[in-house]
PDB file of all heavy atoms in Angstrom:
ATOM      1  N   GLY A 635       0.820  -1.272  -0.008  1.00 88.00           N
ATOM      2  CA  GLY A 635       0.003   0.052  -0.031  1.00 88.00           C
ATOM      3  C   GLY A 635       0.768   1.254   0.030  1.00 88.00           C
ATOM      4  O   GLY A 635       0.216   2.364  -0.084  1.00 88.00           O
ATOM      5  N   TYR A 636       2.192   1.107   0.077  1.00 93.00           N
ATOM      6  CA  TYR A 636       3.056   2.324   0.227  1.00 93.00           C
ATOM      7  C   TYR A 636       2.828   3.356  -0.926  1.00 93.00           C
ATOM      8  O   TYR A 636       2.605   4.576  -0.761  1.00 93.00           O
ATOM      9  CB  TYR A 636       4.541   1.800   0.246  1.00 93.00           C
ATOM     10  CG  TYR A 636       5.477   3.016   0.336  1.00 93.00           C
ATOM     11  CD1 TYR A 636       5.968   3.307   1.593  1.00 93.00           C
ATOM     12  CD2 TYR A 636       5.932   3.653  -0.765  1.00 93.00           C
ATOM     13  CE1 TYR A 636       6.875   4.431   1.679  1.00 93.00           C
ATOM     14  CE2 TYR A 636       6.784   4.739  -0.756  1.00 93.00           C
ATOM     15  CZ  TYR A 636       7.254   5.111   0.469  1.00 93.00           C
ATOM     16  OH  TYR A 636       8.112   6.113   0.629  1.00 93.00           O
ATOM     17  N   PRO A 637       2.903   2.858  -2.199  1.00 93.00           N
ATOM     18  CA  PRO A 637       2.746   3.976  -3.272  1.00 93.00           C
ATOM     19  C   PRO A 637       1.434   4.603  -3.277  1.00 93.00           C
ATOM     20  O   PRO A 637       1.326   5.792  -3.631  1.00 93.00           O
ATOM     21  CB  PRO A 637       3.002   3.148  -4.545  1.00 93.00           C
ATOM     22  CG  PRO A 637       2.872   1.735  -4.186  1.00 93.00           C
ATOM     23  CD  PRO A 637       3.194   1.589  -2.832  1.00 93.00           C
ATOM     24  N   LEU A 638       0.348   3.927  -2.947  1.00 93.00           N
ATOM     25  CA  LEU A 638      -0.936   4.522  -2.855  1.00 93.00           C
ATOM     26  C   LEU A 638      -0.980   5.525  -1.803  1.00 93.00           C
ATOM     27  O   LEU A 638      -1.507   6.659  -1.888  1.00 93.00           O
ATOM     28  CB  LEU A 638      -1.971   3.541  -2.717  1.00 93.00           C
ATOM     29  CG  LEU A 638      -3.421   3.922  -2.666  1.00 93.00           C
ATOM     30  CD1 LEU A 638      -3.832   4.672  -3.925  1.00 93.00           C
ATOM     31  CD2 LEU A 638      -4.380   2.733  -2.345  1.00 93.00           C
ATOM     32  N   GLU A 639      -0.497   5.170  -0.562  1.00 94.00           N
ATOM     33  CA  GLU A 639      -0.575   6.126   0.585  1.00 94.00           C
ATOM     34  C   GLU A 639       0.316   7.392   0.232  1.00 94.00           C
ATOM     35  O   GLU A 639      -0.068   8.435   0.599  1.00 94.00           O
ATOM     36  CB  GLU A 639       0.016   5.414   1.894  1.00 94.00           C
ATOM     37  CG  GLU A 639      -0.184   6.354   3.079  1.00 94.00           C
ATOM     38  CD  GLU A 639       0.480   5.755   4.366  1.00 94.00           C
ATOM     39  OE1 GLU A 639       0.753   4.482   4.398  1.00 94.00           O
ATOM     40  OE2 GLU A 639       0.729   6.591   5.326  1.00 94.00           O
ATOM     41  N   LEU A 640       1.472   7.091  -0.413  1.00 96.00           N
ATOM     42  CA  LEU A 640       2.348   8.304  -0.832  1.00 96.00           C
ATOM     43  C   LEU A 640       1.566   9.252  -1.691  1.00 96.00           C
ATOM     44  O   LEU A 640       1.549  10.482  -1.403  1.00 96.00           O
ATOM     45  CB  LEU A 640       3.520   7.777  -1.478  1.00 96.00           C
ATOM     46  CG  LEU A 640       4.611   8.715  -1.815  1.00 96.00           C
ATOM     47  CD1 LEU A 640       5.942   7.968  -2.006  1.00 96.00           C
ATOM     48  CD2 LEU A 640       4.280   9.531  -3.053  1.00 96.00           C
ATOM     49  N   LEU A 641       0.842   8.766  -2.693  1.00 96.00           N
ATOM     50  CA  LEU A 641       0.120   9.621  -3.561  1.00 96.00           C
ATOM     51  C   LEU A 641      -0.977  10.313  -2.812  1.00 96.00           C
ATOM     52  O   LEU A 641      -1.281  11.543  -3.049  1.00 96.00           O
ATOM     53  CB  LEU A 641      -0.453   8.815  -4.787  1.00 96.00           C
ATOM     54  CG  LEU A 641       0.602   8.399  -5.832  1.00 96.00           C
ATOM     55  CD1 LEU A 641       0.095   7.246  -6.735  1.00 96.00           C
ATOM     56  CD2 LEU A 641       0.922   9.712  -6.625  1.00 96.00           C
ATOM     57  N   ALA A 642      -1.689   9.622  -1.971  1.00 94.00           N
ATOM     58  CA  ALA A 642      -2.862  10.233  -1.202  1.00 94.00           C
ATOM     59  C   ALA A 642      -2.374  11.284  -0.240  1.00 94.00           C
ATOM     60  O   ALA A 642      -3.001  12.320  -0.194  1.00 94.00           O
ATOM     61  CB  ALA A 642      -3.572   9.165  -0.417  1.00 94.00           C
ATOM     62  N   ARG A 643      -1.228  11.072   0.453  1.00 94.00           N
ATOM     63  CA  ARG A 643      -0.742  12.038   1.304  1.00 94.00           C
ATOM     64  C   ARG A 643      -0.134  13.244   0.511  1.00 94.00           C
ATOM     65  O   ARG A 643      -0.303  14.328   0.959  1.00 94.00           O
ATOM     66  CB  ARG A 643       0.340  11.384   2.158  1.00 94.00           C
ATOM     67  CG  ARG A 643      -0.164  10.511   3.219  1.00 94.00           C
ATOM     68  CD  ARG A 643       0.995   9.971   4.148  1.00 94.00           C
ATOM     69  NE  ARG A 643       0.408   9.133   5.234  1.00 94.00           N
ATOM     70  CZ  ARG A 643      -0.044   9.620   6.396  1.00 94.00           C
ATOM     71  NH1 ARG A 643      -0.041  10.858   6.652  1.00 94.00           N
ATOM     72  NH2 ARG A 643      -0.498   8.671   7.262  1.00 94.00           N
ATOM     73  N   ALA A 644       0.484  12.964  -0.622  1.00 96.00           N
ATOM     74  CA  ALA A 644       1.013  14.081  -1.474  1.00 96.00           C
ATOM     75  C   ALA A 644      -0.147  14.955  -1.932  1.00 96.00           C
ATOM     76  O   ALA A 644      -0.120  16.148  -1.944  1.00 96.00           O
ATOM     77  CB  ALA A 644       1.774  13.486  -2.683  1.00 96.00           C
ATOM     78  N   ALA A 645      -1.249  14.347  -2.384  1.00 95.00           N
ATOM     79  CA  ALA A 645      -2.389  15.120  -2.884  1.00 95.00           C
ATOM     80  C   ALA A 645      -2.979  16.031  -1.692  1.00 95.00           C
ATOM     81  O   ALA A 645      -3.327  17.212  -1.817  1.00 95.00           O
ATOM     82  CB  ALA A 645      -3.529  14.204  -3.386  1.00 95.00           C
ATOM     83  N   ALA A 646      -3.153  15.356  -0.424  1.00 93.00           N
ATOM     84  CA  ALA A 646      -3.630  16.105   0.669  1.00 93.00           C
ATOM     85  C   ALA A 646      -2.736  17.243   1.010  1.00 93.00           C
ATOM     86  O   ALA A 646      -3.204  18.221   1.573  1.00 93.00           O
ATOM     87  CB  ALA A 646      -3.735  15.077   1.858  1.00 93.00           C
ATOM     88  N   ALA A 647      -1.451  17.104   0.759  1.00 96.00           N
ATOM     89  CA  ALA A 647      -0.545  18.176   1.080  1.00 96.00           C
ATOM     90  C   ALA A 647      -0.429  19.225  -0.061  1.00 96.00           C
ATOM     91  O   ALA A 647       0.474  20.126   0.000  1.00 96.00           O
ATOM     92  CB  ALA A 647       0.887  17.651   1.367  1.00 96.00           C
ATOM     93  N   ASP A 648      -1.258  19.104  -1.035  1.00 97.00           N
ATOM     94  CA  ASP A 648      -1.259  20.075  -2.208  1.00 97.00           C
ATOM     95  C   ASP A 648      -0.007  20.019  -3.052  1.00 97.00           C
ATOM     96  O   ASP A 648       0.417  21.015  -3.568  1.00 97.00           O
ATOM     97  CB  ASP A 648      -1.607  21.392  -1.761  1.00 97.00           C
ATOM     98  CG  ASP A 648      -2.995  21.582  -1.172  1.00 97.00           C
ATOM     99  OD1 ASP A 648      -3.893  20.973  -1.778  1.00 97.00           O
ATOM    100  OD2 ASP A 648      -3.168  22.326  -0.276  1.00 97.00           O
ATOM    101  N   TRP A 649       0.587  18.838  -3.090  1.00 98.00           N
ATOM    102  CA  TRP A 649       1.742  18.626  -3.929  1.00 98.00           C
ATOM    103  C   TRP A 649       1.446  18.835  -5.366  1.00 98.00           C
ATOM    104  O   TRP A 649       0.232  18.458  -5.810  1.00 98.00           O
ATOM    105  CB  TRP A 649       2.448  17.326  -3.764  1.00 98.00           C
ATOM    106  CG  TRP A 649       3.350  17.190  -2.534  1.00 98.00           C
ATOM    107  CD1 TRP A 649       3.255  18.031  -1.397  1.00 98.00           C
ATOM    108  CD2 TRP A 649       4.428  16.303  -2.323  1.00 98.00           C
ATOM    109  NE1 TRP A 649       4.262  17.507  -0.488  1.00 98.00           N
ATOM    110  CE2 TRP A 649       4.955  16.562  -1.060  1.00 98.00           C
ATOM    111  CE3 TRP A 649       4.947  15.265  -3.089  1.00 98.00           C
ATOM    112  CZ2 TRP A 649       6.059  15.863  -0.559  1.00 98.00           C
ATOM    113  CZ3 TRP A 649       5.994  14.584  -2.618  1.00 98.00           C
ATOM    114  CH2 TRP A 649       6.513  14.840  -1.321  1.00 98.00           C
ATOM    115  N   ARG A 650       2.268  19.318  -6.124  1.00 98.00           N
ATOM    116  CA  ARG A 650       2.064  19.346  -7.625  1.00 98.00           C
ATOM    117  C   ARG A 650       2.554  18.052  -8.218  1.00 98.00           C
ATOM    118  O   ARG A 650       3.692  17.751  -8.183  1.00 98.00           O
ATOM    119  CB  ARG A 650       2.910  20.518  -8.260  1.00 98.00           C
ATOM    120  CG  ARG A 650       2.493  21.927  -7.829  1.00 98.00           C
ATOM    121  CD  ARG A 650       3.501  22.926  -8.049  1.00 98.00           C
ATOM    122  NE  ARG A 650       4.708  22.666  -7.435  1.00 98.00           N
ATOM    123  CZ  ARG A 650       5.881  23.247  -7.630  1.00 98.00           C
ATOM    124  NH1 ARG A 650       6.084  24.157  -8.593  1.00 98.00           N
ATOM    125  NH2 ARG A 650       7.041  22.902  -6.931  1.00 98.00           N
ATOM    126  N   ILE A 651       1.636  17.233  -8.672  1.00 98.00           N
ATOM    127  CA  ILE A 651       1.869  15.847  -9.040  1.00 98.00           C
ATOM    128  C   ILE A 651       1.699  15.737 -10.629  1.00 98.00           C
ATOM    129  O   ILE A 651       0.733  16.279 -11.095  1.00 98.00           O
ATOM    130  CB  ILE A 651       0.905  14.806  -8.377  1.00 98.00           C
ATOM    131  CG1 ILE A 651       1.082  14.922  -6.899  1.00 98.00           C
ATOM    132  CG2 ILE A 651       1.182  13.440  -8.907  1.00 98.00           C
ATOM    133  CD1 ILE A 651      -0.060  14.147  -6.158  1.00 98.00           C
ATOM    134  N   ALA A 652       2.697  15.193 -11.309  1.00 98.00           N
ATOM    135  CA  ALA A 652       2.655  15.027 -12.689  1.00 98.00           C
ATOM    136  C   ALA A 652       2.935  13.632 -13.063  1.00 98.00           C
ATOM    137  O   ALA A 652       3.590  12.862 -12.351  1.00 98.00           O
ATOM    138  CB  ALA A 652       3.728  15.992 -13.390  1.00 98.00           C
ATOM    139  N   GLU A 653       2.477  13.286 -14.269  1.00 97.00           N
ATOM    140  CA  GLU A 653       2.719  11.971 -14.852  1.00 97.00           C
ATOM    141  C   GLU A 653       3.541  12.051 -16.164  1.00 97.00           C
ATOM    142  O   GLU A 653       3.304  13.015 -16.930  1.00 97.00           O
ATOM    143  CB  GLU A 653       1.476  11.146 -15.110  1.00 97.00           C
ATOM    144  CG  GLU A 653       0.716  10.536 -13.904  1.00 97.00           C
ATOM    145  CD  GLU A 653      -0.396   9.727 -14.308  1.00 97.00           C
ATOM    146  OE1 GLU A 653      -1.110   9.978 -15.250  1.00 97.00           O
ATOM    147  OE2 GLU A 653      -0.587   8.603 -13.642  1.00 97.00           O
ATOM    148  N   VAL A 654       4.486  11.166 -16.295  1.00 97.00           N
ATOM    149  CA  VAL A 654       5.271  11.095 -17.584  1.00 97.00           C
ATOM    150  C   VAL A 654       5.151   9.686 -18.038  1.00 97.00           C
ATOM    151  O   VAL A 654       5.384   8.742 -17.346  1.00 97.00           O
ATOM    152  CB  VAL A 654       6.707  11.469 -17.330  1.00 97.00           C
ATOM    153  CG1 VAL A 654       7.575  11.235 -18.572  1.00 97.00           C
ATOM    154  CG2 VAL A 654       6.879  12.896 -16.860  1.00 97.00           C
ATOM    155  N   ASP A 655       4.729   9.516 -19.333  1.00 97.00           N
ATOM    156  CA  ASP A 655       4.662   8.173 -19.881  1.00 97.00           C
ATOM    157  C   ASP A 655       6.061   7.528 -20.011  1.00 97.00           C
ATOM    158  O   ASP A 655       7.092   8.193 -20.425  1.00 97.00           O
ATOM    159  CB  ASP A 655       4.068   8.246 -21.375  1.00 97.00           C
ATOM    160  CG  ASP A 655       2.601   8.575 -21.361  1.00 97.00           C
ATOM    161  OD1 ASP A 655       1.942   8.614 -20.269  1.00 97.00           O
ATOM    162  OD2 ASP A 655       1.985   8.696 -22.505  1.00 97.00           O
ATOM    163  N   VAL A 656       6.101   6.292 -19.592  1.00 98.00           N
ATOM    164  CA  VAL A 656       7.377   5.418 -19.669  1.00 98.00           C
ATOM    165  C   VAL A 656       7.013   4.085 -20.214  1.00 98.00           C
ATOM    166  O   VAL A 656       5.950   3.600 -19.985  1.00 98.00           O
ATOM    167  CB  VAL A 656       8.048   5.394 -18.288  1.00 98.00           C
ATOM    168  CG1 VAL A 656       8.480   6.685 -17.668  1.00 98.00           C
ATOM    169  CG2 VAL A 656       7.118   4.688 -17.277  1.00 98.00           C
ATOM    170  N   PRO A 657       7.980   3.508 -20.940  1.00 96.00           N
ATOM    171  CA  PRO A 657       7.660   2.139 -21.555  1.00 96.00           C
ATOM    172  C   PRO A 657       7.678   1.123 -20.333  1.00 96.00           C
ATOM    173  O   PRO A 657       8.510   1.176 -19.456  1.00 96.00           O
ATOM    174  CB  PRO A 657       8.809   1.962 -22.424  1.00 96.00           C
ATOM    175  CG  PRO A 657       9.913   2.936 -22.000  1.00 96.00           C
ATOM    176  CD  PRO A 657       9.206   4.089 -21.413  1.00 96.00           C
ATOM    177  N   TYR A 658       6.825   0.157 -20.490  1.00 95.00           N
ATOM    178  CA  TYR A 658       6.645  -0.890 -19.516  1.00 95.00           C
ATOM    179  C   TYR A 658       7.031  -2.250 -20.219  1.00 95.00           C
ATOM    180  O   TYR A 658       6.391  -2.607 -21.229  1.00 95.00           O
ATOM    181  CB  TYR A 658       5.266  -0.961 -18.876  1.00 95.00           C
ATOM    182  CG  TYR A 658       5.246  -1.775 -17.656  1.00 95.00           C
ATOM    183  CD1 TYR A 658       6.019  -1.617 -16.545  1.00 95.00           C
ATOM    184  CD2 TYR A 658       4.193  -2.765 -17.557  1.00 95.00           C
ATOM    185  CE1 TYR A 658       5.946  -2.362 -15.422  1.00 95.00           C
ATOM    186  CE2 TYR A 658       4.067  -3.479 -16.354  1.00 95.00           C
ATOM    187  CZ  TYR A 658       4.919  -3.400 -15.314  1.00 95.00           C
ATOM    188  OH  TYR A 658       4.789  -4.111 -14.199  1.00 95.00           O
ATOM    189  N   LEU A 659       8.036  -2.940 -19.738  1.00 94.00           N
ATOM    190  CA  LEU A 659       8.583  -4.044 -20.409  1.00 94.00           C
ATOM    191  C   LEU A 659       8.268  -5.397 -19.640  1.00 94.00           C
ATOM    192  O   LEU A 659       7.929  -5.255 -18.426  1.00 94.00           O
ATOM    193  CB  LEU A 659      10.094  -3.979 -20.496  1.00 94.00           C
ATOM    194  CG  LEU A 659      10.627  -2.536 -20.948  1.00 94.00           C
ATOM    195  CD1 LEU A 659      12.156  -2.435 -20.741  1.00 94.00           C
ATOM    196  CD2 LEU A 659      10.253  -2.440 -22.499  1.00 94.00           C
ATOM    197  N   PRO A 660       8.395  -6.487 -20.237  1.00 91.00           N
ATOM    198  CA  PRO A 660       8.263  -7.763 -19.476  1.00 91.00           C
ATOM    199  C   PRO A 660       9.177  -7.935 -18.399  1.00 91.00           C
ATOM    200  O   PRO A 660      10.455  -7.658 -18.643  1.00 91.00           O
ATOM    201  CB  PRO A 660       8.354  -8.824 -20.542  1.00 91.00           C
ATOM    202  CG  PRO A 660       8.093  -8.203 -21.876  1.00 91.00           C
ATOM    203  CD  PRO A 660       8.584  -6.714 -21.649  1.00 91.00           C
ATOM    204  N   ARG A 661       8.804  -8.142 -17.160  1.00 85.00           N
ATOM    205  CA  ARG A 661       9.804  -8.311 -16.145  1.00 85.00           C
ATOM    206  C   ARG A 661      10.510  -9.533 -16.287  1.00 85.00           C
ATOM    207  O   ARG A 661      10.137 -10.524 -16.963  1.00 85.00           O
ATOM    208  CB  ARG A 661       9.067  -8.309 -14.772  1.00 85.00           C
ATOM    209  CG  ARG A 661       8.121  -9.425 -14.560  1.00 85.00           C
ATOM    210  CD  ARG A 661       7.853  -9.691 -13.045  1.00 85.00           C
ATOM    211  NE  ARG A 661       9.053 -10.162 -12.391  1.00 85.00           N
ATOM    212  CZ  ARG A 661       9.579  -9.783 -11.262  1.00 85.00           C
ATOM    213  NH1 ARG A 661       8.944  -8.732 -10.645  1.00 85.00           N
ATOM    214  NH2 ARG A 661      10.672 -10.244 -10.704  1.00 85.00           N
ATOM    215  N   ARG A 662      11.767  -9.529 -15.646  1.00 80.00           N
ATOM    216  CA  ARG A 662      12.621 -10.728 -15.665  1.00 80.00           C
ATOM    217  C   ARG A 662      12.410 -11.456 -14.296  1.00 80.00           C
ATOM    218  O   ARG A 662      12.670 -10.800 -13.274  1.00 80.00           O
ATOM    219  CB  ARG A 662      14.044 -10.324 -15.848  1.00 80.00           C
ATOM    220  CG  ARG A 662      14.270  -9.625 -17.170  1.00 80.00           C
ATOM    221  CD  ARG A 662      15.691  -9.385 -17.500  1.00 80.00           C
ATOM    222  NE  ARG A 662      15.845  -8.600 -18.681  1.00 80.00           N
ATOM    223  CZ  ARG A 662      16.989  -8.380 -19.230  1.00 80.00           C
ATOM    224  NH1 ARG A 662      18.187  -8.778 -18.788  1.00 80.00           N
ATOM    225  NH2 ARG A 662      17.040  -7.582 -20.345  1.00 80.00           N
ATOM    226  N   GLY A 663      12.042 -12.718 -14.308  1.00 64.00           N
ATOM    227  CA  GLY A 663      11.906 -13.407 -13.030  1.00 64.00           C
ATOM    228  C   GLY A 663      10.344 -13.489 -12.677  1.00 64.00           C
ATOM    229  O   GLY A 663       9.536 -12.941 -13.439  1.00 64.00           O
ATOM    230  N   ARG A 664      10.056 -14.026 -11.493  1.00 66.00           N
ATOM    231  CA  ARG A 664       8.700 -14.215 -11.087  1.00 66.00           C
ATOM    232  C   ARG A 664       8.114 -12.997 -10.413  1.00 66.00           C
ATOM    233  O   ARG A 664       8.724 -12.351  -9.541  1.00 66.00           O
ATOM    234  CB  ARG A 664       8.633 -15.341 -10.128  1.00 66.00           C
ATOM    235  CG  ARG A 664       7.251 -15.721  -9.671  1.00 66.00           C
ATOM    236  CD  ARG A 664       7.348 -16.939  -8.718  1.00 66.00           C
ATOM    237  NE  ARG A 664       8.156 -16.656  -7.493  1.00 66.00           N
ATOM    238  CZ  ARG A 664       7.683 -16.062  -6.447  1.00 66.00           C
ATOM    239  NH1 ARG A 664       6.437 -15.688  -6.376  1.00 66.00           N
ATOM    240  NH2 ARG A 664       8.564 -15.876  -5.445  1.00 66.00           N
ATOM    241  N   SER A 665       6.869 -12.595 -10.804  1.00 61.00           N
ATOM    242  CA  SER A 665       6.221 -11.503 -10.110  1.00 61.00           C
ATOM    243  C   SER A 665       5.774 -11.844  -8.710  1.00 61.00           C
ATOM    244  O   SER A 665       5.322 -12.991  -8.492  1.00 61.00           O
ATOM    245  CB  SER A 665       4.888 -11.134 -10.898  1.00 61.00           C
ATOM    246  OG  SER A 665       4.206 -10.145 -10.212  1.00 61.00           O
TER     247      SER A 665
END
C-alpha cells in the first residue's frame, strides 16, 4: 500500500503531481 498512501498524502498536502509516460517491459523473473 506504500505507493498509494504516498500519492494520497501528497495530494492532501497540495503537492504538484505530474505523470510522464514510460515504457513498460516484461519483467525478468517471477512477479
Side-chain angles (χ1 to χ4, degrees):
Y636 180 95
L638 178 63
E639 184 184 348
L640 187 156
L641 285 164
R643 288 184 179 273
D648 294 324
W649 280 25
R650 295 163 299 167
I651 303 171
E653 282 189 323
V654 172
D655 286 356
V656 295
Y658 195 50
L659 311 169
R661 63 159 290 133
R662 302 186 185 185
R664 182 179 61 86
S665 173

